Each structure stands twice: as C-alpha cells, then as structure tokens.
Amino acid sequence: MSDELLDAHPTDVLELDELWSFVKARRHKVWTWIALCHRTRQIVAYVCGQRNDKTCTDLRCRIPTSYFNLATCSDYWSSYAEVFDPDTHRSVGKHTGLTNHVERFNATLRNRLGRFTRKTLSFSKKKENHEAVLHLFLLKYNQDMKDRWLTRHI
C-alpha cells in the first residue's frame, strides 16, 4: 500500500479512528482501525481486529517509517493514549474538527462498501474476504487521492 503514498512532511498529522463491521453474523464484530494523513487524505495504515490495545499496536506498527513519528489525533478511546507517543498524540473531541477527515472517510467507506453498512444483508463469510475487499478499496482510494492531490499542486 505504501507505493501509492505521497511523501510525508514533518508538519503532517495523522488522524486515527476505528469503525466496526461484522463477519458472518452481527455478533462477530470486526473493527477496522485507520490512520489517515490530514494533508493528502490518503490512508497511511489500517488493520482489522478487535477493539483493544493489541490491535491499536498493530496499527501503529503498520504505519510506514516516514510517517511513524508524526503528530497524531484521535478520539478519546483509551487504546490510542496507551499505544501512541504522548508527546505527539492528542485525544480530541469531535467538536475540534481535528478528526473530520477520517470520520468523513468512515462515512465514505460505509457508503461505498455494503459490507460496512450498519444495516445490511451484504457481509463477508470469512475475515480474509472482508480484509481483501477493504484492501482493494483502499488501493483504489489512495490512488485517486494521489491523482487528485497531484493535479491540484503541480
């Protein structure tokens, strides 16, 4: 996924958030954790798993090296404060607007992929299929964001 990412700048901020969907049955929730670059609107890293510190740590480990030490913003979910560097991480409320882009991306994801819609008959029977569909969507999304960013800034 990092092949499509634009270069990181020292002033970039990563917006972090998570959203739930399910595999096979509603009682089998799968949480998708996302790190989005505020400047480019590209998804820098993602991971699917439970809503806990371990999955949050997996997200942190998947952030590419050039983005790893950037400032981060998230909601008040305790895992973010536990896992991300307290010197560069801020937990903020929705009213601040500092996580607007990742929240907007979550809405886009729910709108474009039936598997992420809250009330749906579309769902994956296997977690591997769920993640494969998400991965393909993110590849296309990041390429579109890269193309859009380059046409506006060149």
Side-chain angles (χ1 to χ4, degrees):
M1 229 174 87
S2 59
D3 294 341
E4 295 302 324
L5 291 178
L6 294 163
D7 294 334
H9 289 207
T11 58
D12 281 344
V13 176
L14 297 181
E15 297 180 25
L16 311 172
D17 200 20
E18 71 286 342
L19 75 154
W20 68 269
S21 53
F22 61 92
V23 173
K24 201 167 187 176
R26 286 198 180 275
R27 65 183 176 276
H28 299 135
K29 283 189 179 178
V30 174
W31 289 87
T32 301
W33 297 65
I34 296 168
L36 178 140
C37 178
H38 180 85
R39 178 179 56 91
T40 66
R41 312 296 194 263
Q42 288 185 302
I43 304 302
V44 173
Y46 76 96
V47 66
C48 294
Q50 297 178 2
R51 196 176 192 204
N52 58 26
D53 291 353
K54 182 196 175 305
T55 309
C56 189
T57 301
D58 290 346
L59 175 68
R60 175 118 170 107
C61 292
R62 288 186 180 195
I63 295 174
T65 308
S66 60
Y67 286 86
F68 196 77
N69 292 316
L70 296 177
T72 56
C73 288
S74 72
D75 57 20
Y76 289 104
W77 186 248
S78 62
S79 294
Y80 294 117
E82 292 292 324
V83 172
F84 284 86
D85 183 1
D87 294 334
T88 58
H89 180 74
R90 283 181 61 191
S91 295
V92 298
K94 292 187 190 298
H95 67 281
T96 64
L98 296 174
T99 59
N100 278 1
H101 300 299
V102 73
E103 296 287 350
R104 174 65 245 170
F105 174 79
N106 288 347
T108 298
L109 194 59
R110 289 197 187 280
N111 188 15
R112 294 190 188 167
L113 289 180
R115 296 161 200 256
F116 286 85
T117 304
R118 290 187 172 134
K119 294 185 178 182
T120 185
L121 295 175
S122 303
F123 59 91
S124 300
K125 292 182 181 178
K126 295 181 180 180
K127 187 177 176 195
E128 295 81 19
N129 294 344
H130 188 77
E131 290 185 32
V133 168
L134 176 62
H135 185 78
L136 290 173
F137 177 81
L138 293 178
L139 288 174
K140 175 72 171 123
Y141 178 85
N142 274 356
Q143 181 61 53
D144 291 348
M145 289 297 107
K146 181 179 181 180
D147 293 345
R148 184 178 296 167
W149 197 88
L150 289 174
T151 56
R152 289 182 180 165
H153 294 92
I154 290 183

